Amino acid sequence: MCVLLVSSCANNQVTNPSASASGNGRITIGTTAKPRTLDPADAYELSSLSLVYNMSDRLYTYEPGSTQLKPELATALPTISDDGLTYTMPIRKGVVYHDGTKFDAKAMEFSLRRFIENKGKPSFLLSDSVESVKATGEYELTIKLKQPFAAFTSLLAFAGVPALSPKAYEIGEGKFEPNKFIGTGPYKLTKFGTDSLIFDVFNQYWGEKPANKGVTVQILSSGVNLYNNFRKQGVDVAYVALDPDQITSLEQMSREGKWLAIPNEGSVVSYLTLNRNQKPLDIPEVRQAIAAMIDRKLIYDRVLYGQAEEVYSMVPTTFDVYQPVFKEKYGKGGNPEKAKELLRKAGFSKENPAVVEVWYPSSSATRSLTALVLDALAKKTMDGMLVFEVNTVESTSAFKNIGEGLYPSFLLDWYPDFLDADNYIQPFLSCEQGSPDKGCEKGGSQSQGSFFYSQQMNQLINKERQEQDPVKRKQIFAEIQEILAEEVPYVPLWQSKDYVFAQNGITGVQLDATQILIYKNIKK
C-alpha cells in the first residue's frame, strides 16, 4: 500500500516527450543510477561502469547475449605460457582515441598500469594477480602474473579496464579524473551533468558504427520518476532501477502492446553486508542469528513479487560450483528459534538486545522495503532480542564510505565484473593485509564493508585461482562456501531477474553478459 501511495503522490519528474518521439535517430535512456565517477581506475559501481563500458573498448569483450569471450582491442585470444604465468596478445592497428591520440600496445600498457598504480576501488582486481604489463612490440602486449589464474582472460573483459588516452590521464596514486572520459569507444562524451549525459557518435571509431545517432542518458531521482517518464514516452529505454511493482505494471501493459518488456536471467546477487568491526556484529553468533532469522520467502512475496530466485550463497545458482550452504545451516524459511538461541549464547536478551543498524541506498525502493521487512520480521519473531534500526544514505556517499567502515550493515547488490565464480568470492572474502583482531585493513572484504579476515580463506582463494582442473576447483569452492556460512560476513538474499523496457519501434536492446545495457545496438 505504501508503494502505491508513493507512486500516486510522487512529484512527476518527466522529460520532454518530444526528445523521445523525435525522428533524429538519437536514443534517450532513462535510469536512476547516478554515477560517482567516470574514471575507470576508480569506478566500481554499475552506475559508473555502464557508462564507461559504452564509451570504451577493452582487450576482450563478450558476444552479446553470451558468455563467450571475443577479441576487441586485441585481435586474438592470448597465447599462454606452459606455466600459466605469461599472457601474450596481438594488439589492433588503426585505432585512435577520442582526442586523436594513436592507440598501440604502449598505450594499452599505460591504461592497465594506471588501473593498478592509481589504487582506486577496483585496482585489486589486477594488482592481486599481475606482476607486470609491458609492450613487447608496437602491437604486442605481454602480461606476467604473480601466479596462475584460471579466469584471467575473462578479467580482461571487465568494463573498468578499457584503453585510456595517455595524453589525457596520469599515473599516480589517487590521480583520478571523475568528470571526463577519453577512450577509443564508439561514443565520445559531450556533456556530463548532474542529471544527464550526452554521448555523440565517435566518427573515427575503428569498428562498426552505432546503429543510432547518439545517446542521451537521463538520470531520474527515483524509480517512480523513471516509471512515469517511460509511460509518458519521455525516454526510449528504461533500465535500472524500477521497483518490483512498477515492473509488474509495465510488464502487464507490454502484453497489451503498449511497449516492449525484455526480461533477462541475471547473475546479480543481492545481499546484506555485516561489518565485523562494529558492535554487536563483532560477535559471530550475532551474525549467525541474523542469517537464521531471515525469511527469504517473506521478502520475495512482500518486496519482489516473484521477480527473483532464492540464493543461499554469494555464488549464484548459474554456476555449477554453487552450494546452498545457508539453507543447509540455517534453514530455508527463517529459523527464529535458532536465532534466539544464538543470541542467548552471545549474552543478549530482551532486556539487553543486540541492536544493529541496517543501511540502504536512498535511490533503491526495493532495498528500502527490504529493510522495513527485516525490521518487521525481527519485531514479530525475535521477542525483542534483536533490534534493527533502519537508516538510509544517498548512493554516491554510500559507495564512497562503505570501505571506510561507517555502516554496521548495508543492503547491496553485486553485478559481476567477469563471469567466473571467483568474482563472487575473491572481491568479498580476500584480504591482503589484516589480522584476526583488527579484521581486514586492505583488500576485498574491506572495500565491501565486511572487514572479514581469514588466512585460511586467503589460502583457499589462491588455491582455486591456480587450479585448472574444474572438479578440484569445485571442491575448493565448496569449502569456501562452508566458511562463508559459518562466519557470515554477508547474508545472500536473492538472485535478481533484470528487466529492460523499450518503446515500440525501438530495436536492438540487449544486455552484455555482466548485465550492462549495450547502447550501440539500439535503433529507433
Side-chain angles (χ1 to χ4, degrees), residues 24-84:
N24 63 6
R26 292 188 65 90
I27 301 297
T28 302
I29 295 170
T31 182
T32 62
K34 185 177 182 179
R36 179 180 59 85
T37 179
L38 294 183
D39 193 323
D42 196 36
Y44 206 35
E45 308 87 29
L46 180 67
S47 56
S48 296
L49 290 173
S50 62
L51 300 170
V52 168
Y53 173 91
N54 281 289
M55 293 185 288
S56 67
D57 300 310
R58 293 143 299 283
L59 288 166
Y60 300 99
T61 191
Y62 296 102
E63 291 280 2
S66 168
T67 59
Q68 184 67 40
L69 282 172
K70 69 174 184 178
E72 193 166 57
L73 289 176
T75 58
L77 292 173
T79 300
I80 305 173
S81 62
D82 291 340
D83 61 6

Side-chain angles (χ1 to χ4, degrees), residues 154-165:
S154 294
L155 179 53
L156 294 176
F158 171 53
V161 287
L164 297 175
S165 170

Side-chain angles (χ1 to χ4, degrees), residues 449-474:
S450 75
F451 298 86
F452 170 78
Y453 177 83
S454 165
Q455 190 56 37
Q456 181 188 7
M457 181 63 76
N458 288 336
Q459 292 168 356
L460 287 169
I461 291 172
N462 288 335
K463 192 175 178 183
E464 63 85 1
R465 290 189 137 206
Q466 296 180 55
E467 183 57 64
Q468 300 290 334
D469 185 330
V471 175
K472 292 180 180 178
R473 201 163 182 247
K474 186 174 183 178

Side-chain angles (χ1 to χ4, degrees), residues 201-217:
V201 173
F202 179 40
N203 292 327
Q204 293 177 272
Y205 185 56
W206 62 269
E208 185 177 349
K209 299 296 190 292
N212 51 66
K213 300 298 184 182
V215 172
T216 299
V217 179

Side-chain angles (χ1 to χ4, degrees), residues 291-361:
M293 180 212 74
I294 290 175
D295 184 342
R296 287 170 177 77
K297 186 177 185 305
L298 186 68
I299 295 174
Y300 302 150
D301 291 345
R302 300 285 177 86
V303 178
L304 301 166
Y305 304 129
Q307 297 161 16
E309 181 182 352
E310 295 180 4
V311 67
Y312 293 92
S313 172
M314 291 300 290
V315 178
T317 60
T318 44
F319 295 95
D320 65 355
V321 303
Y322 167 77
Q323 297 286 332
V325 286
F326 277 78
K327 180 166 70 174
E328 293 166 358
K329 188 171 181 63
Y330 302 108
K332 181 178 180 179
N335 190 338
E337 294 307 315
K338 182 178 182 68
K340 286 184 280 190
E341 179 185 337
L342 287 162
L343 289 170
R344 281 191 288 268
K345 182 178 178 182
F348 294 98
S349 62
K350 184 176 181 179
E351 294 73 29
N352 177 37
V355 180
V356 178
E357 293 180 13
V358 178
W359 290 76
Y360 66 88

